[in-house]
Amino acid sequence: MSDTTTLTPPVSETSLETSTPVPYRDVGTYLRRTARHYGPVLALYGVLKLIGFSVFMYLLDSDGGFRTRNPRFGGGAHAWDVLATWDGWWYQQIAAHGYHPALVQVPGATGLITLEGNSAAFFPLYPATMRLVSDATGLGLYGSGMLVSVVASFAAALGIYAVTARFGGRRAGLAAAGLWAVWPGSGMEWSAYSESLYIALAVWACHAVMTDRWLTAGVLTFAAGLNRPTAVALIAALTVAALQTLHRRRENLAGPWIAMAIAPLGLIGYLLWVGNEMGDLAGYFKLQSGAWAHSFDYGKHTVDVFSSVAVGHFDYLSAFPFEDTIGVAVVLLAALLIPLLIRLRPPAVLTVYTLLTLALVLGSQQIFGNVSRYLLPCFPLFIPLAVKLRTLQLPMLCLLLGIAAVASGSYAGYVLFEAGVP
């Protein structure tokens, strides 16, 4: 089987993505075909994720350290309570009480942390969705947040399948969905964090660009911009793809222009609102820097981490040896996969999105151990590996992914939540 693949999928891969209306009498047939086509994707992802999640919960319960910690900082009465701590606590506060943006100085503070933490550092879409689901179902904020994340993780799996299948067919798409379940950082997918929702929006926005559905792409990117600040990479990728389309076709197309106009409004709108409420248009960035020591330093901290870990030292800012070692491995893996991705000649939207996400993450000062979490949105990196894995028979593919799923309970979940600070 050739390593060089085409972006034009076989008919069997796209028959369910057609925009042709389905006659009422054929709805049942269409639903059965859809279930047969996408059911294995959902089943594979769900089983692998459940394996990893179960191992993760077992490790947390066996260690038991969470029982003695503050419920806000990695503690709780049960192992699953840990999933809604740290950032998850902030999201629940926003869902329950809304925002109160402010830049409040810590009295007498002169070091890296000079401002009190404030909920304005966390974007609004995920907590708003959490609140909406809670009001509609009565599940409570914790249960609603978990429900949103789990459902979004399955939506992301379908999107990753759909994008990857355009390169290597159904088997490659299945492999990519499986990789999404076991990738480093995938422990965040079933937690009260915003990652799954953001990645679901991002992958389907990229798919919409690849299939010339520009209004859909613009709306999804707008929503992603309300969910995470790194959506700037998705906005830039959509813009490059739209300009490329306009240049190539040399037609007066409205779709790309509308998408480019809509895409940045969520991100820009939230940043401007926060700045206005704080009385400082740069307030969001000052809060991130002063309260969480997160800032763009052009890669200085990343270089410091690599040069230290390479010689077995862990004396840099916010060092967590186990977590950081996995982070270094993830960055090296990404560096190996990028040339393989480019060799497949993917659409510009995937290339720009991936490279800019990497640049934003590695160019920032932050808790380096969280790199495996922050790079989880780089789903196009799954594509070249999935294309290689498609040559395996399905039982062997499932066996390899199953082994990775067991291990992921540690490297993708436990290490983030228990050996570091997610």
Side-chain angles (χ1 to χ4, degrees):
M1 187 176 292
S2 172
D3 290 339
T4 304
T5 57
T6 176
L7 296 182
T8 304
V11 174
S12 61
E13 292 296 334
T14 58
S15 59
L16 295 176
E17 297 178 14
T18 178
S19 59
T20 304
V22 180
Y24 179 78
R25 63 181 179 277
D26 293 333
V27 168
T29 301
Y30 177 78
L31 292 176
R32 286 192 294 273
R33 290 174 59 206
T34 300
R36 285 197 301 269
H37 190 81
Y38 292 116
V41 181
L42 297 176
L44 178 65
Y45 172 76
V47 169
L48 292 173
K49 196 72 203 127
L50 188 59
I51 292 171
F53 185 78
S54 298
V55 173
F56 176 23
M57 289 294 100
Y58 172 78
L59 293 174
L60 277 176
D61 189 65
S62 297
D63 177 80
F66 65 89
R67 296 186 180 93
T68 61
R69 295 196 181 98
N70 188 318
R72 178 176 169 183
F73 302 114
H78 308 283
W80 54 82
D81 292 332
V82 175
L83 302 172
T85 59
W86 300 103
D87 288 6
W89 180 87
W90 283 105
Y91 285 126
Q92 290 180 84
Q93 293 301 303
I94 296 167
H97 309 296
Y99 286 105
H100 304 283
L103 295 173
V104 180
Q105 292 288 329
V106 176
T110 57
L112 282 173
I113 305 300
T114 59
L115 297 175
E116 293 182 3
N118 187 279
S119 59
F122 301 87
F123 275 51
L125 183 63
Y126 179 67
T129 308
M130 181 189 297
R131 177 61 180 267
L132 181 64
V133 172
S134 178
D135 290 345
T137 64
L139 281 176
L141 295 178
Y142 173 86
S144 297
M146 290 296 296
L147 179 60
V148 170
S149 292
V150 171
V151 171
S153 75
F154 279 94
L158 287 176
I160 290 167
Y161 164 83
V163 169
T164 307
R166 299 179 68 83
F167 290 83
R170 180 171 175 79
R171 185 65 59 81
L174 280 169
L179 290 171
W180 159 241
V182 304
W183 204 253
S186 59
M188 311 305 301
E189 294 166 16
W190 288 8
S191 70
Y193 276 59
S194 64
E195 266 71 14
S196 287
L197 181 57
Y198 172 72
I199 296 167
L201 293 168
V203 67
W204 282 110
C206 289
H207 186 268
V209 169
M210 293 168 64
T211 52
D212 277 336
R213 292 176 294 162
W214 288 102
L215 180 58
T216 299
V219 171
L220 290 173
T221 304
F222 166 86
L226 287 171
N227 199 53
R228 293 193 67 81
T230 47
V232 67
L234 182 62
I235 294 167
L238 179 146
T239 301
V240 170
L243 292 174
Q244 186 183 62
T245 297
L246 291 168
H247 175 75
R248 183 176 63 248
R249 296 186 183 178
R250 299 184 182 279
E251 302 173 27
N252 187 21
L253 300 174
W257 288 110
I258 294 172
M260 284 191 289
I262 294 173
L265 296 182
L267 176 65
I268 293 173
Y270 180 68
L271 294 178
L272 289 177
W273 178 79
V274 169
N276 181 67
E277 291 293 305
M278 290 180 172
D280 185 336
L281 288 181
Y284 174 84
F285 302 100
K286 290 182 178 179
L287 179 63
Q288 284 280 19
S289 177
W292 278 274
H294 288 187
S295 61
F296 193 78
D297 67 351
Y298 300 93
K300 181 178 180 299
H301 181 59
T302 299
V303 171
D304 188 24
V305 172
F306 268 77
S307 59
S308 299
V309 173
V311 294
H313 294 169
F314 297 92
D315 52 0
Y316 45 84
L317 178 67
S318 302
F320 295 93
F322 195 0
E323 191 182 25
D324 295 347
T325 301
I326 291 177
V328 168
V330 171
V331 173
L332 294 176
L333 177 60
L336 291 172
L337 291 175
I338 287 171
L340 299 179
L341 174 64
I342 293 174
R343 185 169 178 263
L344 293 176
R345 298 182 180 179
V349 66
L350 297 181
T351 304
V352 174
Y353 169 73
T354 304
L355 294 179
L356 281 184
T357 300
L358 281 164
L360 288 172
V361 172
L362 299 181
S364 299
Q365 175 183 283
Q366 58 203 340
I367 298 175
F368 183 83
N370 286 343
V371 158
S372 61
R373 166 195 167 194
Y374 297 144
L375 291 184
L376 190 59
C378 290
F379 67 88
L381 294 177
F382 304 166
I383 295 173
L385 189 53
V387 169
K388 296 293 184 181
L389 289 174
R390 69 179 175 175
T391 59
L392 299 176
Q393 293 297 315
L394 188 59
M396 179 59 68
L397 175 62
C398 291
L399 175 62
L400 292 178
L401 290 173
I403 294 171
V406 173
S408 73
S410 174
Y411 69 75
Y414 178 85
V415 172
L416 276 175
F417 279 92
E418 192 70 9
V421 177

